[in-house]
Structures are given as C-alpha cells and as structure tokens.
C-alpha cells in the first residue's frame, strides 16, 4: 500500500502545471561579492498607504516571483544586510520584467573591532533564544544541519552524533513546532540531509512550558524556510565521508505547490562502513586484572522514503497526510582481545580472542495525519500518529584461546522486537483581548514484544537453549495527558503560565521468569515565565518548569546486551520515572547572550558497573539515583574583526552533584567543568568562504567516574557555483584526533575500571548540493510522537 501511495504522488507531479498569472521576477544579491541572498523577504507595498499587497521569500538562488500591480513600493530585508525600499512601476506586468537588486552588508566598512552583525542570534521568543541560519555567513561552510548545531551556543554534539543542551539533556528535535522523534540513526541521517540554506531559524528551548509533553526536557525547534510561489522544486544532496572507511549518503527532495495542494517527497540512501573502538581495563582489589580491546566495523545499507500532501481548501482549513518507511540493514564485524593477568600484571591467567559478527535489521512504517481549523479567534489542531517497528538481530559469540586458536565458548542469540505506537492529540487556542488561552488533550498507546533466545554449544557440538539468558519481555504503556496555559502582556512585561497533568499506566512482563511489574502514576507539571523588555536592545527572562523522564524500553528490558563475552548491560523493569524541576534566567543585550539554568532531578535514571571476580564479567545495571543537583551557565557573543573576518565566542560552565548509592556507601561529589568554543569565519576571494572551529571540554564526570578532557579542531571550506544552484563544501573534522572519550572509576579501593570510546570523528567530508526547479517551497519532514522515540531508542 505504501509503495502504491508513493508511486501515485510521483505521478501527480507530472500532471500539474503552474497557474498562469502576471508576475514580477527578479533576483537579490550581495553588493560585496554578487552572491545570491536566500531567505530575504520581498514585500510589495501599496503606493498610497504602504499596505502590504504581497510577500514572498527569495529562493536558494536569490530569485523571486510575485504578483505585481502597475505601480508599487518594493521592500527587501534581511538580518545580515541593509534594508532597501524603492518605487517600481510596470508598463505591462504581462511582460514579466526582471529586476536585479543588490543589498549592502549590514556590517558596513569597519576599521575597528566591535560586536555587531553576522551573528547567529536573532532574539528571544517566549523566553528562548532564536538563531538565524539561512544566509548566515557562519553557517555557509557547514555541510549540513548537524554541523550547524556544532556552532550554536548551548548545543553540544558528541562523537557518535548524540545531541545535548543545558545540563546534559538530550533534546527533542521539532520541525515547525511539531516533534520529529526518531531513533538516533534516523535522526542523524535526517540532520545530515538538511542543508543550512533550507532552514530559516533554530529555537533552543531549555525550559519547555506545560504545552509540551512532560518527556521533553529540552527542545530544538527547526523552522524551515518557505515561500508561497507556485511550481516545482527539488534538491539533491550528496555527502561523502572518509576516515579509515568510506561512507556515502544521498538524498533527493521533490515538491510541487499549486494554489490548494502541496505535494512533497524525499528519498534517502546511505551506504558505507562506520568504525567504533572500545577499550577497558578493570580489576577488583586483590583479584585478577582484565584488559579488553574491541573494534566494530559497522557496514550499513539503509534507505528511507517519505511522501505526503497538504490540502488547503480555504483560509480556515488545512489537512495533511504523510507516510514514511525507514529500512536499516547493518552487518557489524566486532572483534576483540581479552587478556587476564594476576594483580601484578605479570602472570597471565588467560589470553583470548573474541569474534562477534552481528546481523541487524530494522523496518518501520509510519503515518501522520494533521488537521487545523482557524475560526478567529479560535484555532483547533488535530494530530494523529501511527508507527510500526520491527527489529531483528542475530549474534554469534565465539571465544578462543589466542595461542592455539582452540574454541572456549560459542553461543548464539536471536532477537525479535516488535513495537506498535498510536497517538492522538487535540489542541485549542483562543485570544481574548490581550490574553491568549491554550489547552489540549493527548492519548498514546505503546506495545512492545521482545523475544530473545540464546543457544550455547555443548560438549556434543550441538547448540542447546540457554535458559538463563533467554527471555520474553512484553511491555504496554498508556499515557493520558491534558494541559491548560495562558499568555498575556502588561506594558513591557510578558507572562505565560500553565499546568500539565499526565497519567501513566504501564505493565512490564518478563514472561520467562514470570515477573510482572505494574506502574500507575499521575504527575502534575506546572510552568511559568516572565519576560521584561528593558529597551529595544535588552531583554530579561525568568522561567520555571517541571518535567518527567520515563525510562525507555531498552532501559526497562531485562535482557543482556553484550559488548563482549565478558561485558554487557542489562535493563531494569523496576525503574521509576525521573522528575526534574528547573529555573532559567536568560539575558540578551543586542547580540550578547547570557543563560543560566539550575535545578534538581529526583529518581535519576542511571547505570552503574558491577564486577564479578569469579566469572570476570563486568555488568552495567540500571538504577534510580536518589537525586541530582545541577546548574549551567552559558555566555556567547560575536566579534567582527574586519569585513572579511568574523568570530564568535562561546563559554559554558557546568555544575553537577549526584547522590549515588554504590555497594555499602553513598557518594555525593560536586563536579565542575567548562567548555570553550571559538569559531572564525573568513570571506575569501573567488566567492570562497572558510571557517575554523576549535572546541575544548575540560575534565568532568559524576560521583563514580572521571571523564578526561578532550578537544576538537575542524576546518570547513565552501564555494557556490551556477548562480548559487550548486554548492560544494569540503570539511576536515577533528584534525588532531582529540575527540575521544576516556572514563576512569574514581574509587580504586572498590574497583579499578577504565574505559574509552572512539567513534572515528577524524575524517574528511565532501558535500555537494544542487537545487533545481522554479519554486522554493520547503520540504516537510517527519513528525512523530514522543512514544515513538522511546520505542526505537
């Protein structure tokens, strides 16, 4: 059915044509280097009263088309350029005259160092910082949106692509105000497919209000760049990465917009091999030492396809439907070396090799329906989601003596995991004079069925069931939520307040061991914010919010997931949800931004190591920590040194204090660390732009582990061709190979445990983007629910 719908959408593109009309065409370029300016609003004004007649936004090549009367005022604006306003008269609009308009750089001719334009910060919206992306010079050298995130104040990107904001919070990614919650691999592929010129702005929400699901402890809302011109548009994006191995990603986006319908589709394909290395060293006091070296080569062959349609029958109604499919095929070659010695490190106890080939596949289908009704002053929005996910994984664990290659252990695992998620959400908003009221309800239902079987090779060379490792785990969860909030303004003050209630009913059933755990609880999540406009350039915001983090399915699942034959982690079905209360203060002075977050988290979800000296196994077990107190301070500002050399500075400081019961003690250490980031952007001759990013993270950790300092230096070079239609970018990431993660267990009197992770961040990256078509309508992306994210993590 899915393929039939996708084929129907593709055929529809061939049968539609644009509506004929008298239009004014033109292009907007920079006066400095004649490069096209995308994302610039072009406004047509009435000559008599300056009322707005029409407005469009320039496309990727700086071009625009707009209906025009016989005479009018035309205004062009952009944050990085000086606004231009002039009168234009047409003798005959049917002749489609074309204009070439140039804009002056807003920075002007600067002879001294000053804080001024060419910055990411646009302003503060609802107490959150907002950053301009399209046509921002600092982002022109970024190959994709993931690279943009590396330059945004307060956002941190780990070596494996994991995002963090605030006090080590993994944010939820939104598109145009709606959640786009996928598993980590899907999210990375999506961010790499989205080029900066397609994004109007980013809103970083570190303190979500009551209107957002309680699960969202942090949000990055991506606003896509759109215009209202009719016609067909498309773009092709190719990304080539090279370190020890080669990775290739291809994405093709197509859209067609008519007066009532917008059709869109996207096809993506990724292939190649990713590398990961893990090393560990551990011993218990007065026992043997175990050293582990592990390398995993992950060969991927993934594709994704999505297609949809938006129908706008009139100004009051809008209907949308989207279907999608994501298919993952990964063959992982994981090999390791395990060496055990006595406590002196001199006498060998055993010396083994491990071979763990893995065949992994995921296939998921999703459908999204949305409807909005605008009856001024009342607005109604309906959103429905369906998701079906199937995961399959087969492992072989083969351990041999290194000296003579004799077989020690051989066991196999076969995993089947099925997940189904339904969500329905209704939101209403109404404006009464100076007060805006919002309210809504949401219902979600999630079902997961996990079946893992382990078979071990016995002395008769036959594989037999291993009942201690095998298990069937069933999980059902239903969430009912409702919220109400209001916003108002009194002089220079703006206020918002709201409260959200979420009732959770969950059942965890470990069938094989006959363990049934029921959870039924209700959480009340209030929020409040106040913003004071000191003057045109200064704003001060204070806010408070309460959030809840439910354990995801992998954290609850009591299966063993092995890194090696002697190293594994296991879920805990008795985990409680974590509740966070946080306050935030945000201050802006022009382009200077200062943000402070502080709070307390109860029943923190965490893992702790447990070493078995008899079997030499190291297990990472799930538990709830009693509490965590945290705070982080972020400072960012730009400095323009010359017209061709701009810099931005980001300074971040962190405080963390976790109360961690471990064995017979409770550890409650205060940990301080900081992060310094410097980005320099250079405008060079021949339309070439370059940026040099340096990032340093100091030593950090928690009550049990120390995490060593690390750094990253990257260079990006960009050039556009064919009047901006073709864009090429060359990147050298982690030039000095300094972005590895090393962890050391603090309390050596208990366990001496050190481990490291390396994801091959040092690489060369080539990105090519080609835009075609006559329109620049944005491609809508997948919007799925919070429950889907927890299902596929």
């Amino acid at each position: 059915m899915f393929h039939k719908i996708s084929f129907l959408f593709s055929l529809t593109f061939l049968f539609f044509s644009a509506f004929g009309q008298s239009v004014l065409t033109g292009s907007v370029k920079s006066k400095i280097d004649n490069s096209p300016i995308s994302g610039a609003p072009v406004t047509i004004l009435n000559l008599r009263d300056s009322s707005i007649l029409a407005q469009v936004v320039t496309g990727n090549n700086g071009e625009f088309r707009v209906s025009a009367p016989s005479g009018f005022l035309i205004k062009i604006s952009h944050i990085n350029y000086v606004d231009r306003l002039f009168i234009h008269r047409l003798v005959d609009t049917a002749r489609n005259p074309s204009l070439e308009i140039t804009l002056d750089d807003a920075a002007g001719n600067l002879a001294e160092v000053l804080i001024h334009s060419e910055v990411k910060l646009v302003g503060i919206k609802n107490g959150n910082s907002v950053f301009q992306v399209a046509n921002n010079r600092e982002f022109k050298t970024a190959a994709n949106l993931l690279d943009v995130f590396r330059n945004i104040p307060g956002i941190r990107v780990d070596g494996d692509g994991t995002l963090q904001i605030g006090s080590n919070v993994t944010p939820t990614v939104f598109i145009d105000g709606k959640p786009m919650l996928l598993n980590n691999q899907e999210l990375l592929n999506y961010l790499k497919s989205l080029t900066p010129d397609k994004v109007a702005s980013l809103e970083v929400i570190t303190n979500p209000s009551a209107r957002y699901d309680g699960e969202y402890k942090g949000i990055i809302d991506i606003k896509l760049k759109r215009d209202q011109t009719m016609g067909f548009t498309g773009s092709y994006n190719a990304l080539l990465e090279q370190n020890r191995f080669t990775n290739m990603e291809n994405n093709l986006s197509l859209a067609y917009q008519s007066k009532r319908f917008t059709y869109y589709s996207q096809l993506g394909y990724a292939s190649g091999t990713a590398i990961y290395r893990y090393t560990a060293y551990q011993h218990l006091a007065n026992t043997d030492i175990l050293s582990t070296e592990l390398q995993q080569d992950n060969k991927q062959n993934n594709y994704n396809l999505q297609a949809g349609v938006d129908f706008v029958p009139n100004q009051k109604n809008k209907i949308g439907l989207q279907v999608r499919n994501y298919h993952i095929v990964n063959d992982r070659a994981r090999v390791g070396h395990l060496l055990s010695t006595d406590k002196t490190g001199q006498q060998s106890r055993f010396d083994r090799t491990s071979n763990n080939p893995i065949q992994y596949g995921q296939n998921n289908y999703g459908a999204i329906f949305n409807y909005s009704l605008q009856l001024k002053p009342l607005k109604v929005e309906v959103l429905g989601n369906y998701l079906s996910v199937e995961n399959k994984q087969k492992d072989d664990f083969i351990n041999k003596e290194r000296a003579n290659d004799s077989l020690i252990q051989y066991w196999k695992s076969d995993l089947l995991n099925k997940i189904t998620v339904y969500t329905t959400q209704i939101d209403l908003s109404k404006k009464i004079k100076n007060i805006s009221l919002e309210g809504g309800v949401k219902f979600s239902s999630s079902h997961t069925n996990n079946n893992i079987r382990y078979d071990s090779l016995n002395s008769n060379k036959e594989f037999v069931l291993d009942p201690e490792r095998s298990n069937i785990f069933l999980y059902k969860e239903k969430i009912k939520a409702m919220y109400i909030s209001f916003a108002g303004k009194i002089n220079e003050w703006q206020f918002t307040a709201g409260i959200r209630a979420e009732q959770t009913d969950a059942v965890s059933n470990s069938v094989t061991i006959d363990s049934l755990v029921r959870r039924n609880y209700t959480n009340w999540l209030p929020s409040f914010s106040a913003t004071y406009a000191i003057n045109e350039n200064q704003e001060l915001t204070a806010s408070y919010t309460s959030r809840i983090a439910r354990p995801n399915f992998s954290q609850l699942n009591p299966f063993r997931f092995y890194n090696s034959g002697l190293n594994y982690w296991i879920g805990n079905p008795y985990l409680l949800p974590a509740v966070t209360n946080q306050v935030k203060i945000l201050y802006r002075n022009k382009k200077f931004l200062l943000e402070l977050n502080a709070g307390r988290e109860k029943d923190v979800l965490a893992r702790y190591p447990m070493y078995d000296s008899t079997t030499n196994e190291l297990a990472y077990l799930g538990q709830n920590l009693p509490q965590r107190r945290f705070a982080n301070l972020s400072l960012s500002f730009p400095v323009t040194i010359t017209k061709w050399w701009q810099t931005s500075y980001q300074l971040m400081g962190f405080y963390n204090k976790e109360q961690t019961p471990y064995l017979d003690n409770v550890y409650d250490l205060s940990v301080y660390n900081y992060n310094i980031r410097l980005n320099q952007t250079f405008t060079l001759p021949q339309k070439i732009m370059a940026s040099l990013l340096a990032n340093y993270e100091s030593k950090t950790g928690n009550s049990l582990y120390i995490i060593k300092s690390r750094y990253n230096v990257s260079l990006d070079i960009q050039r556009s061709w064919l009047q901006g239609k073709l864009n090429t970018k060359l990147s050298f990431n982690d030039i000095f190979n300094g972005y590895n993660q090393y962890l050391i267990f603090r309390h050596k009197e208990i366990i001496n445990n050190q481990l490291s992770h390396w994801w091959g961040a040092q690489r060369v990256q080539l990105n090519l983007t080609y835009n075609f078509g006559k329109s620049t309508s944005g491609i809508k992306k997948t919007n799925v629910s919070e429950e889907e994210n927890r299902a596929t993590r």
Side-chain angles (χ1 to χ4, degrees):
M1 182 64 181
F2 172 84
H3 298 290
K4 291 181 179 179
I5 295 175
S6 302
F7 181 68
L8 179 61
F9 286 155
S10 301
L11 286 179
T12 309
F13 282 122
L14 303 176
F15 288 95
F16 276 84
S17 59
F19 292 93
Q21 55 181 319
S22 297
V23 295
L24 171 71
T25 63
S27 62
V28 180
K29 299 181 179 180
S30 170
K31 186 177 262 187
I32 296 177
D33 56 9
N34 206 39
S35 61
I37 300 175
S38 62
V42 179
T43 308
I44 305 301
L45 305 173
N46 191 303
L47 273 175
R48 295 181 179 180
D49 56 10
S50 297
S51 60
I52 297 177
L53 301 175
Q55 187 178 56
V56 296
V57 178
T58 57
N60 297 324
N61 55 6
E63 296 180 353
F64 66 89
R65 295 163 49 117
V66 63
S67 300
S70 59
F72 53 89
L73 284 167
I74 182 170
K75 179 182 178 181
I76 302 96
S77 60
H78 193 279
I79 186 173
N80 291 329
Y81 297 88
V82 177
D83 292 354
R84 186 171 177 185
L85 179 68
F86 59 91
I87 297 176
H88 189 82
R89 300 184 184 277
L90 301 178
V91 176
D92 184 2
T93 56
R95 295 178 183 176
N96 294 328
S98 183
L99 297 175
E100 288 191 5
I101 303 168
T102 59
L103 300 182
D104 287 320
D105 193 317
N109 296 319
L110 300 176
E112 58 180 343
V113 177
L114 71 159
I115 299 176
H116 201 59
S117 188
E118 291 305 336
V119 293
K120 294 171 283 188
L121 182 61
V122 175
I124 294 179
K125 177 184 177 184
N126 298 326
N128 305 303
S129 51
V130 182
F131 302 90
Q132 174 83 22
V133 177
N135 214 48
N136 189 320
R137 287 189 184 180
E138 288 193 34
F139 302 142
K140 280 186 175 293
T141 58
N144 49 55
L145 200 57
L146 190 64
D147 289 342
V148 171
F149 284 167
R150 292 187 173 97
N151 291 307
I152 294 290
I155 299 180
R156 304 181 299 285
V157 183
D158 212 336
D160 61 351
T162 302
L163 302 176
Q164 287 188 332
I165 63 175
S167 296
N168 300 322
V169 170
T170 300
T172 302
V173 175
F174 277 49
I175 297 295
D176 293 330
K178 293 184 174 61
M180 191 201 73
L181 298 171
L182 309 170
N183 65 44
N184 194 54
Q185 185 62 51
E186 288 181 274
L187 181 59
L188 284 177
N189 289 345
Y190 164 67
L191 295 176
K192 289 181 179 180
S193 72
L194 196 58
T195 53
D197 58 315
K198 294 181 180 178
V199 179
S201 64
L202 296 175
E203 182 178 358
V204 182
I205 306 173
T206 52
N207 228 15
S209 66
R211 76 178 300 269
Y212 297 105
D213 284 5
E215 187 78 10
Y216 306 151
K217 298 174 68 176
I219 296 170
I220 300 176
D221 194 357
I222 302 169
K223 305 294 184 182
L224 296 181
K225 191 181 67 177
R226 307 178 186 276
D227 69 22
Q228 300 301 317
T229 57
M230 308 297 177
F232 170 79
T233 184
S235 68
Y236 169 72
N237 177 261
L239 177 65
L240 178 67
E241 294 180 336
Q242 181 68 51
N243 47 23
R244 179 178 174 183
F245 298 104
T246 302
N247 277 288
M248 183 71 178
E249 297 186 18
N250 301 269
N251 289 278
L252 176 65
S253 299
L254 301 172
Y256 179 84
Q257 182 163 306
S258 66
K259 191 174 181 179
R260 301 296 183 195
F261 289 90
T262 299
Y263 303 90
Y264 53 91
S265 63
Q266 178 167 311
L267 176 65
Y269 175 72
S271 63
T273 303
I275 188 172
Y276 165 73
R277 290 174 185 164
Y278 169 83
T279 61
Y281 168 89
Q282 72 237 17
H283 71 85
L284 209 60
N286 301 319
T287 63
D288 295 344
I289 300 172
L290 177 65
S291 299
T292 303
E293 296 179 358
L294 179 70
Q295 176 169 313
Q296 178 175 293
D297 299 336
N298 183 16
K299 186 177 181 181
Q300 63 175 349
N301 188 24
N302 309 332
Y303 74 82
N304 64 85
L305 175 65
Q306 57 180 279
V309 58
D310 285 335
F311 173 51
V312 185
N314 49 53
Q315 294 182 347
K316 297 180 180 180
N317 296 273
K318 183 177 180 179
I319 304 171
L321 176 64
Q322 181 187 101
V323 291
R324 65 185 178 94
N325 173 230
Y326 192 80
H327 186 74
I328 300 175
V329 176
N330 286 351
D331 291 325
R332 306 172 190 167
R334 182 189 288 174
V335 295
H337 176 210
L338 292 85
L339 174 63
S340 178
T341 66
D342 64 1
K343 63 181 179 179
T344 66
Q346 301 298 318
Q347 183 177 355
S348 176
R349 299 299 191 190
F350 64 78
D351 190 357
R352 300 174 181 174
T353 61
S354 65
N355 187 10
N356 177 208
I358 304 169
Q359 294 178 326
Y360 173 75
Q362 182 188 106
N363 202 15
N364 69 58
Y365 295 90
I368 302 167
F369 170 80
N370 61 83
Y371 169 74
S372 65
L373 172 64
Q374 181 70 64
L375 297 172
K376 293 184 178 181
L378 177 67
K379 185 177 182 180
V380 182
E381 294 180 286
V382 180
L383 179 66
N385 286 280
Y386 166 77
L387 175 69
S388 174
V389 180
E390 183 176 271
N391 297 291
K392 293 181 179 181
Q393 180 170 318
K394 293 186 177 181
D395 293 68
D396 285 80
F397 298 89
I398 307 170
N399 297 320
K400 296 182 178 181
E401 290 288 356
R402 191 179 188 188
N404 54 23
D405 202 38
S406 60
L407 185 65
I408 302 171
Q409 288 178 313
Y410 189 177
W411 77 85
K412 296 184 177 184
S413 71
D414 191 353
L415 169 69
L416 176 62
N417 168 263
K418 293 183 178 181
I419 303 165
T420 306
V421 180
Y422 302 89
T423 66
T424 303
Q425 181 176 331
I426 303 175
D427 297 284
L428 296 91
S429 59
K430 185 175 183 179
K431 189 169 183 178
I432 304 174
K433 294 184 179 180
N434 294 327
I435 297 177
S436 297
L437 296 176
E438 283 189 338
V441 295
K442 180 179 178 180
F443 173 78
S444 67
S445 176
S446 306
H447 299 261
T448 179
N449 186 332
N450 303 266
N451 189 342
I452 190 168
R453 177 188 172 103
Y454 283 92
D455 291 278
S456 299
L457 189 67
N458 63 15
S459 57
N460 296 325
K461 305 299 181 181
E462 297 176 342
F463 283 99
V464 295
L465 176 67
D466 186 341
E468 292 186 2
R469 294 192 182 106
S470 302
N471 198 2
I472 297 175
F473 178 67
L474 307 177
Y475 182 76
K476 296 182 179 181
E477 181 182 80
K478 294 182 179 180
I479 301 174
K480 302 173 184 177
M482 63 180 298
Y483 77 95
I484 185 169
S485 67
F486 76 92
K489 182 177 181 181
I490 303 175
N491 298 325
E492 288 79 20
W493 288 92
Q494 286 186 329
F495 299 93
T496 63
I499 189 167
R500 184 180 188 91
E502 295 191 349
Q503 191 267 335
T504 305
D505 185 7
V507 179
S508 303
N509 185 6
S510 299
V511 177
T512 306
I513 60 177
D514 193 23
S515 174
L516 188 69
V517 180
R518 294 183 180 273
R519 294 275 190 240
N520 192 303
Y521 52 89
T522 301
N523 296 90
W524 294 87
L525 308 172
S527 67
F528 173 80
S529 72
T531 301
Y532 177 66
I534 301 172
N535 53 44
E536 184 179 352
N537 297 319
Q538 298 186 77
E539 293 177 277
L540 180 64
T541 295
S543 62
Y544 162 82
T545 191
S546 181
R547 304 275 89 192
I548 180 175
R550 301 175 186 86
N552 61 48
F553 303 122
S554 64
Q555 291 174 312
L556 294 168
N557 194 343
F559 291 177
R560 291 188 180 186
F561 294 91
Y562 283 86
N563 290 321
S564 71
L566 297 177
N567 188 297
Y568 64 89
W569 59 269
I570 187 170
N572 180 0
Y574 295 94
L575 289 176
L576 300 173
V579 177
T580 302
N581 293 284
Q582 178 176 283
V583 294
K584 168 184 171 181
I585 298 175
L586 178 63
Y587 170 72
R588 180 186 70 88
N589 187 349
K590 293 184 178 179
K591 309 303 179 181
F592 175 94
L593 186 66
L594 179 66
E595 181 176 328
L596 171 65
N597 293 282
R600 177 178 178 268
E601 185 175 11
K602 182 182 177 183
D603 296 324
V604 184
L605 297 169
R607 292 190 184 278
Y608 66 96
M610 187 62 67
Y611 180 72
D612 188 330
S613 59
T614 302
T615 63
N616 283 319
E617 290 183 326
L618 180 65
Y620 290 91
L621 310 178
Q623 73 166 358
N624 287 110
L625 306 183
Q627 68 173 9
R628 177 175 77 99
R629 298 183 184 276
F630 60 88
N632 72 282
L633 181 67
S634 173
L635 169 66
S636 64
F637 57 92
V639 174
T640 298
I641 299 177
T642 69
K643 186 166 57 176
W644 54 269
W645 183 5
Q646 290 84 32
T647 64
S648 67
Y649 297 85
Q650 300 172 34
L651 309 173
M652 290 172 277
F654 303 89
Y655 163 77
N656 187 58
K657 187 175 184 180
E658 292 180 352
Q659 192 178 80
T660 307
Y662 187 69
L663 299 180
D664 297 326
N665 295 301
V666 176
Y667 298 93
D668 195 7
L669 300 180
S670 297
V671 179
Y672 301 88
N673 66 291
Y674 61 90
N675 184 199
I676 302 174
R677 192 182 300 168
L678 170 62
N679 188 37
Q680 303 181 77
T681 304
F682 306 93
T683 303
L684 305 176
Q686 303 298 320
K687 300 182 181 180
I688 297 175
M689 294 195 68
S691 69
L692 183 65
L693 174 67
N695 181 60
Y696 174 78
E697 299 176 16
S698 72
K699 182 176 69 174
T700 182
N702 53 36
S703 292
L704 296 183
Y705 278 96
I706 297 172
I707 301 176
K708 288 186 176 182
S709 62
R710 56 181 177 171
Y711 65 93
N712 178 19
V713 178
S714 299
L715 174 66
D716 302 301
I717 302 172
Q718 178 267 345
R719 193 186 194 282
S720 59
W721 316 76
L722 303 178
Q723 297 182 336
K725 292 184 177 180
L726 177 64
N727 204 309
T728 55
K729 298 169 186 177
L730 181 64
S731 303
F732 302 89
N733 297 323
D734 195 13
I735 296 173
F736 302 107
N737 197 28
Y739 208 63
N740 308 327
Q741 189 176 68
Y742 295 91
L743 297 91
I744 303 172
F745 197 78
R746 291 182 181 274
H747 313 285
K748 290 183 170 54
E749 71 279 6
I750 300 176
I751 178 174
N752 187 339
N753 178 26
Q754 303 177 34
L755 59 145
S756 69
H757 302 279
W758 180 78
W759 295 278
Q762 185 183 51
R763 62 172 69 96
V764 178
Q765 183 175 286
L766 177 64
N767 183 269
L768 179 148
T769 303
Y770 179 69
N771 300 290
F772 53 91
K774 296 182 179 180
S775 175
T776 57
S777 303
I779 301 296
K780 296 187 68 175
K781 301 298 178 181
T782 305
N783 302 322
V784 297
S785 67
E786 172 261 323
E787 289 73 23
E788 297 184 27
N789 187 47
R790 295 172 55 239
T792 55
R793 269 188 265 175

